[in-house]
Each structure stands twice: as C-alpha cells, then as structure tokens.
Amino acid sequence: MKDKLRFILNRIGERLWVKPLFVCLVSIAIAFIAQWADQFQIFQKAPEVNTESIEMLLEVISASMLVMAVFAVGSMLAAYQSASNSATPRAFTLVVSDDVSQNALSTFIGAFIFSIVAQVALLNGYYEKAGRFILFIITIVVFVLVIINFIKWVDGIARLGRLGTTIAKVEKATAEALRRRREKPFLGGTQSDHQTDGLPVFPTTVGYIQRIDMDALQTAAKNGEMQIIVATLPGAFVAPNRPLAYVRGGRDAEAVIETASIVNAFFIGNQRTFDDDPRFGLITLSEIASRALSPAVNDPGTAIQVTGIFVRLFAELAQEISEQEQPRIEYDRVAVREIPLSDLFEDAFNAIARDGAATIEVVLRTLKALATLTSVGNEKMEAAALESARLVIAHAQESLSIPSDIEKLQAVSEFARSLDSGE
C-alpha cells in the first residue's frame, strides 16, 4: 500500500494543475469561513475593521496575483525547455514536479481566487463586524504567504532548468530507486529461477511497465492456488506477444489466465518512470553525459561529473545488507528475478565509453571510476566493472591516435590487465 501511494502521489506531482486546483478550492472555502465568526458571541468583541481597508488589500491582491501567476508560468516553461535542451527530455518529469515552483504557482492563483471571492462577498454585505475582522486577518496571512513563496520561488527559478539542478534531481531519483531495489531485490517476492515452463499471461496494451502491484499478484496466486513468475520488470517495453508472467500449478490455471486480475497488476504506460525503474535513472544520466560529449556541446566536464555520480550510486549499491535489514519475503507465491549488475553497468557506462572514446580526459576518469568499483568488495560488481572497463579500453584504442594519449591509456588500463591475470 505504501508503494502504491508513493506511485500515485508521484504521478499527481507531475501534473501542474493538481496543486493549483486544490489551493483554489481551499481559497474559496476560506473566504466563506470568515463569515462563521459572526455566529459566535466570543468574536463579537473583535476590533472594528473598516470595510474600505479590506477592500483595498483585496484589490491589490487581485490586481497583482494574476500577473504574477502568468509570469510564473512563463518562467517555468522557459526552465522546462532549458532542462530538455541542456540535459535530456527524459528528465522533464522530474523538473516539472519541482515543489517550489508548483507551490509558488498555486499560491499566486489561490490568492487571486481568494481575493475575487472575498471582495464580492464583502461588497455584498456578507460579513458583519466579526467576519470582517477575521477576513482582515486572513488577508494579512495571505499576503505573508505570497511574499514567502515569492522569495522561495525567485531563488528556486534561478536554478530550475539549469543542468546542474537537473543532474541532481536525476541522481536523487535514481539513488532512491536503487535503494528500494537493494532493500527488495525481488520486489518482496521470492527469487525467480528464470524458467518459463508455466502458462504465459500476455498484456492487452503496448507500453512500458511502470509498476507491478505485488499485492494483487499475491492475492490472485492465493485465490488460484498457484505460483506466479514475473517475466518482465518495471521499465520493460511490452506488447501483446511478450508474456508479463507465467503461471504454474493451480486448480484452474487456464481460468485464471482468462481473467484480468494478473494483467491489471502490471501498470503499463506510454513512458518510463523513475520510481521502480533504477535502470531508467542510469540511462537518463548516461544520456546527459552523451549529449555533453556531442560536438555541438563539447562539455567533457559534465560527462566526468556524471561518471562520479555513477561511482557514488554503485558504491552505495554494493554495500552489504546487515542481518537486521535482510529483505523478508512478503509475497511467497510471486517470484521475481533480480536485475543483473551487468545490465546496470551497461546502462551507465556503454554510452560514455562510445561517445567519450576520443576524449582522453573522459576515458581516464571513466577507467579510474571503474577501477574504484572493482575494489568495493563485491565480486559481482567487480566483474561488471571489469567488463565495462574492457569496453572503454576497446573504444579508446580505436579512437585515440596521439601517442601521449595512448601512453596515458595504457598506464591507467593496468588494473584491468592485472585483474584478468589474477594478480
């Protein structure tokens, strides 16, 4: 349930209209709540507030907030375009879900709606003495909120859309996805044996798997007294000819497959998401590095920065889980395969190895990063890092032509040869 709620909230956060709509409804409610004070005797001793003073404040808000909202939208769109052009379009969903920008836009629109509704109610005599006092206090609070959010927004919009900010957002999303997968390598189920001898379950739509509802699969498996082997992980592209899962055993497996209970457990969308798909985060970071290495951009520093991020991500992934943190099996009737480390390394380093092969600075930093990952104490990671290093060396040998660069390459490549020879 926690994972499902997180998935839903993240999708809501990617919609710009949700927060403004909610704040608008709250603003309308607040404008009418002030009138309730007239019904309580305790508020009748409130100070008298001149109607003209409240009207003047509301007019200032209504005249300025709509302009501010339009200006905020324009600035946000410019930041989104900058993020797509300087980094990669795949990072757009992370940039658009920026809380500071959404909160500022929601505050500006909410304040505008509040001022209009409150002004109409005030001019039509909706408030009495106590109501006008409460409305005055609420208006002052709205002013304060607008100023605070405006200051935060000005600081945030200066960074939103910048390449460094986009990289940081992608790194954070990737680190969270890797941490969740490290804690639950089989999504809470048992380890799959990679066998496909069961009855296949096919999807009815084409797209990317965004999430797997393990609770739904466990329930379907229990009801059918069967075992479900998940064949595709989040991030995989599926079509009606590619099985989502295989069913083994059960009192009536054929009848189960005909139902939509298993298929509906796989959330399929048009785009990949970062939540349960750590490979997508690595691919996005790799795309940012590749774009920086293109002749049009020629920014090897960004590729080197991304390589350092990969070292951080994989070093954390390589940490052994303590006995207290060992993942417990929550879904004993659902088997899921683990993401091979070799696949993660391919997603991260293959593009950099290809596009940065002619830049000796990138080659050296990438090989040093991979050398670091071979010594983190994880045998699987050592093998994956060594395989990626071989690819980097092979690409570099084909692209480098200056003797001094080749000598530097040979010097840094010693670690790969020594590991190959077992030294």
Side-chain angles (χ1 to χ4, degrees):
M1 180 59 68
K2 181 180 178 181
D3 292 338
K4 184 176 182 179
L5 180 62
R6 169 179 51 79
F7 180 81
I8 294 175
L9 291 177
N10 286 343
R11 301 291 76 73
I12 292 176
E14 296 171 0
R15 301 291 185 269
L16 277 178
W17 60 268
V18 176
K19 279 188 179 181
L21 176 61
F22 175 76
V23 173
C24 286
L25 296 177
V26 173
S27 300
I28 295 173
I30 290 176
F32 288 102
I33 285 175
Q35 194 270 341
W36 288 358
D38 294 322
Q39 304 177 15
F40 296 95
Q41 187 64 32
I42 189 173
F43 291 109
Q44 300 307 315
K45 297 180 180 181
E48 180 71 37
V49 178
N50 190 279
T51 302
E52 285 74 15
S53 63
I54 304 176
E55 183 181 351
M56 181 268 296
L57 292 175
L58 293 174
E59 286 179 352
V60 170
I61 295 177
S62 61
S64 59
M65 286 303 99
L66 186 60
V67 176
M68 287 300 302
V70 174
F71 175 68
V73 171
S75 300
M76 290 166 64
L77 290 177
Y80 299 154
Q81 184 177 5
S82 175
S84 297
N85 293 336
S86 62
T88 171
R90 257 60 64 189
F92 176 78
T93 56
L94 295 178
V95 179
V96 79
S97 60
D98 178 68
D99 288 334
V100 175
S101 298
Q102 289 197 12
N103 291 341
L105 179 62
S106 302
T107 301
F108 299 154
I109 296 178
F112 173 75
I113 297 298
F114 164 78
S115 64
I116 295 297
V117 174
Q119 195 171 1
V120 171
L122 181 67
L123 294 177
N124 284 275
Y126 185 68
Y127 305 105
E128 297 179 6
K129 176 183 177 182
R132 289 195 298 271
F133 175 74
I134 297 299
L135 180 63
F136 177 76
I137 297 299
I138 293 175
T139 305
I140 297 299
V141 172
V142 170
F143 259 116
V144 173
L145 291 176
V146 167
I147 293 172
I148 292 175
N149 278 279
F150 178 76
I151 294 174
K152 288 183 178 180
W153 175 71
V154 168
D155 180 70
I157 201 65
R159 297 177 175 82
L160 186 66
R162 303 300 181 188
L163 182 59
T165 302
T166 304
I167 292 176
K169 288 180 177 293
V170 178
E171 179 185 0
K172 181 181 178 182
T174 306
E176 291 176 354
L178 285 171
R179 176 186 55 79
R180 287 191 293 268
R181 187 54 62 93
R182 173 174 167 266
E183 295 172 352
K184 293 183 177 181
F186 313 115
L187 303 180
T190 61
Q191 185 173 7
S192 173
D193 55 10
H194 298 277
Q195 298 296 323
T196 58
D197 55 347
L199 294 170
V201 178
F202 295 96
T204 56
T205 58
V206 177
Y208 294 97
I209 297 180
Q210 297 178 341
R211 179 179 176 273
I212 300 176
D213 190 342
M214 297 292 287
D215 289 310
L217 290 180
Q218 177 75 2
T219 301
K222 279 187 175 181
N223 293 338
E225 297 180 2
M226 59 190 177
Q227 186 80 11
I228 297 178
I229 296 87
V230 175
T232 51
L233 296 176
F237 185 80
V238 294
N241 65 337
R242 182 176 181 181
L244 296 173
Y246 294 90
V247 174
R248 294 179 186 169
R251 60 174 181 268
D252 193 0
E254 290 286 356
V256 174
I257 292 179
E258 291 176 359
T259 68
S261 58
I262 298 178
V263 175
N264 291 339
F266 292 81
F267 290 77
I268 300 176
N270 295 331
Q271 298 177 343
R272 298 176 72 169
T273 59
F274 293 90
D275 306 62
D276 300 312
D277 185 8
R279 296 187 63 179
F280 185 48
L282 296 174
I283 291 172
T284 303
L285 287 169
S286 183
E287 285 183 356
I288 294 174
S290 292
R291 174 168 290 191
L293 291 170
S294 65
V297 179
N298 192 22
D299 179 21
T302 295
I304 292 174
Q305 178 185 355
V306 171
T307 301
I309 291 174
F310 287 148
V311 175
R312 285 198 296 269
L313 294 175
F314 283 117
E316 182 179 353
L317 183 64
Q319 295 177 3
E320 294 293 336
I321 300 178
S322 64
E323 291 295 332
Q324 294 78 13
E325 296 177 329
Q326 285 295 331
R328 62 186 181 89
I329 297 177
E330 303 175 23
Y331 313 103
D332 58 339
R333 290 182 174 271
V334 183
V336 181
R337 68 179 180 87
E338 187 177 10
I339 300 178
L341 272 174
S342 58
D343 290 353
L344 297 178
F345 270 77
E346 289 177 4
D347 295 333
F349 292 104
N350 278 16
I352 297 178
R354 180 192 65 239
D355 298 329
T359 308
I360 187 61
E361 298 91 344
V362 176
V363 172
L364 296 180
R365 186 58 65 91
T366 305
L367 288 175
K368 290 177 180 179
L370 291 168
T372 300
L373 294 175
T374 60
S375 59
V376 294
N378 186 302
E379 294 183 359
K380 293 182 179 179
M381 186 163 293
E382 178 181 328
L386 183 58
E387 185 63 30
S388 293
R390 294 193 190 101
L391 182 64
V392 173
I393 295 170
H395 278 292
Q397 288 174 341
E398 290 290 331
S399 301
L400 296 175
S401 57
I402 299 177
S404 60
D405 289 346
I406 296 175
E407 290 178 4
K408 293 177 182 179
L409 173 64
Q410 291 174 346
V412 178
S413 303
E414 285 297 326
F415 83 95
R417 285 191 287 270
S418 63
L419 289 174
D420 278 336
S421 60
E423 296 180 6

